[in-house]
Amino acid sequence: MSLENSSDDIIRVRGLRNQFGTHVVHENLDLDVHKGEILGVVGGSGTGKSVLLRAIIGLLPPAAGDITVFGQELRQLPTAERSLLERRMGVLFQAGALFSSLTVTENIALPLIEHLGLSRTDAEHIAAMKIGISGLPTNAGAKYPAELSGGMIKRAALARALALDPEILFLDEPTAGLDPIGAAEFDQLILTLRAALGLTVFLVTHDLDTLYTICDRVAVLSDKRVLVNDTLASVEKFDNPWVQAYFQGPRGRAAARAQTRREKQ
């Protein structure tokens, strides 16, 4: 993994340590995310994939190290400037994290009202557009989260993540719990949005099909750090027992074959 400074690096993590009490999750972790790419982050259970995401977006103060996003260190910014920078990042949390007492439209409109000061009418008009680009039916806007299927919750959470027109989209296990058809449709939606909106995507996933279908590079977390961060062709050859078991096992080989078939079509 190259650690050279690059104008293409929209996120740079150096020497990161995350810990909870005496339990160290990450130690001396380095990571680069290039502008415009879809980076998949994988690793075994307990390697801190979601912890890394939360540290980058500023929800978890690291114990040590530096994290820069858009060339700026979040922790060093005054509150007003930090708020402006955070608007350039959209997050889809693992379980959606929608407000259960608000409709889908209200969930999406809320950040527009709070951060941009829009009127409710204007915010809900924009929310309707976000509902459309996320692939939800128009009538989903009036529904509450409890009335939605798992796939619809993912798309509603995606619409909210896109509310402020972010430049970076953080996705935490976006296809977890979806059936294969729904997961494949979500993958294609992310590709479409990346192309249409020029997004950079930081994607935490266990889904091998997602990795092979949409990711430009893959970062593997192991031993409290990023073990390798490269193209799939390079990562799947990396000499490490976990990497080999993950990518060269039956499911990994099946996902690779499926992607080869898609590329030939």
Side-chain angles (χ1 to χ4, degrees):
M1 178 180 63
S2 172
L3 299 183
E4 295 298 321
N5 191 10
S6 168
S7 59
D8 290 334
D9 293 343
I10 198 166
I11 298 171
R12 297 184 75 240
V13 180
R14 294 293 180 270
L16 181 68
R17 183 169 78 245
N18 286 314
Q19 66 183 90
F20 301 95
T22 59
H23 175 58
V24 178
V25 180
H26 301 133
E27 184 70 77
N28 200 30
L29 183 150
D30 296 325
L31 178 68
D32 295 321
V33 182
H34 303 327
K35 184 176 181 179
E37 77 172 343
I38 298 177
L39 177 73
V41 179
V42 301
S45 297
T47 53
K49 300 177 291 296
S50 296
V51 170
L52 175 59
L53 183 155
R54 289 173 178 270
I56 292 172
I57 64 176
L59 290 181
L60 176 66
D66 298 307
I67 301 172
T68 58
V69 185
F70 304 111
Q72 299 186 76
E73 171 67 63
L74 276 177
R75 291 179 299 171
Q76 297 178 358
L77 293 176
T79 301
E81 291 183 30
R82 175 171 175 156
S83 179
L84 288 173
L85 189 143
E86 288 173 341
R87 294 181 199 175
R88 300 168 69 184
M89 301 183 288
V91 187
L92 189 162
F93 292 102
Q94 194 167 136
L98 297 171
F99 294 107
S100 60
S101 61
L102 302 180
T103 65
V104 170
T105 295
E106 290 169 340
N107 265 281
I108 301 166
L110 185 61
L112 294 163
I113 295 169
E114 288 195 344
H115 293 287
L116 301 185
L118 297 185
S119 67
R120 178 166 180 164
T121 299
D122 289 342
E124 292 190 352
H125 177 70
I126 293 174
M129 292 189 289
K130 303 301 181 181
I131 287 170
I133 66 173
S134 68
L136 284 170
T138 304
N139 63 4
K143 296 182 181 294
Y144 289 90
E147 301 175 288
L148 303 178
S149 67
M152 292 177 74
I153 287 175
K154 299 281 189 182
R155 289 176 183 265
L158 176 63
R160 187 179 63 181
L162 295 170
L164 297 175
D165 297 324
E167 297 167 55
I168 306 176
L169 186 60
F170 292 87
L171 306 175
D172 194 353
E173 299 284 4
T175 59
L178 300 184
D179 63 78
I181 294 174
E185 290 176 344
F186 198 95
D187 288 343
Q188 291 304 313
L189 175 60
I190 296 304
L191 283 175
T192 299
L193 290 173
R194 191 265 295 266
L197 304 177
L199 294 169
T200 300
V201 182
F202 182 101
L203 167 67
V204 172
T205 187
H206 284 102
D207 193 327
L208 281 155
D209 287 324
T210 294
L211 292 175
Y212 278 95
T213 302
I214 72 173
C215 291
D216 300 298
R217 293 191 304 146
V218 174
V220 178
L221 296 188
S222 181
D223 299 326
K224 303 179 182 179
R225 60 189 177 89
V226 174
L227 191 65
V228 58
N229 182 11
D230 211 330
T231 63
L232 261 171
S234 296
V235 170
E236 63 187 7
K237 297 174 185 176
F238 192 78
D239 186 14
N240 174 268
W242 188 89
V243 173
Q244 289 301 303
Y246 189 73
F247 288 99
Q248 301 300 336
R251 291 186 178 183
R253 293 196 302 271
R257 288 195 297 269
Q259 179 59 18
T260 298
R261 289 194 298 270
R262 285 191 291 267
E263 290 173 350
K264 291 180 178 179
Q265 291 176 353

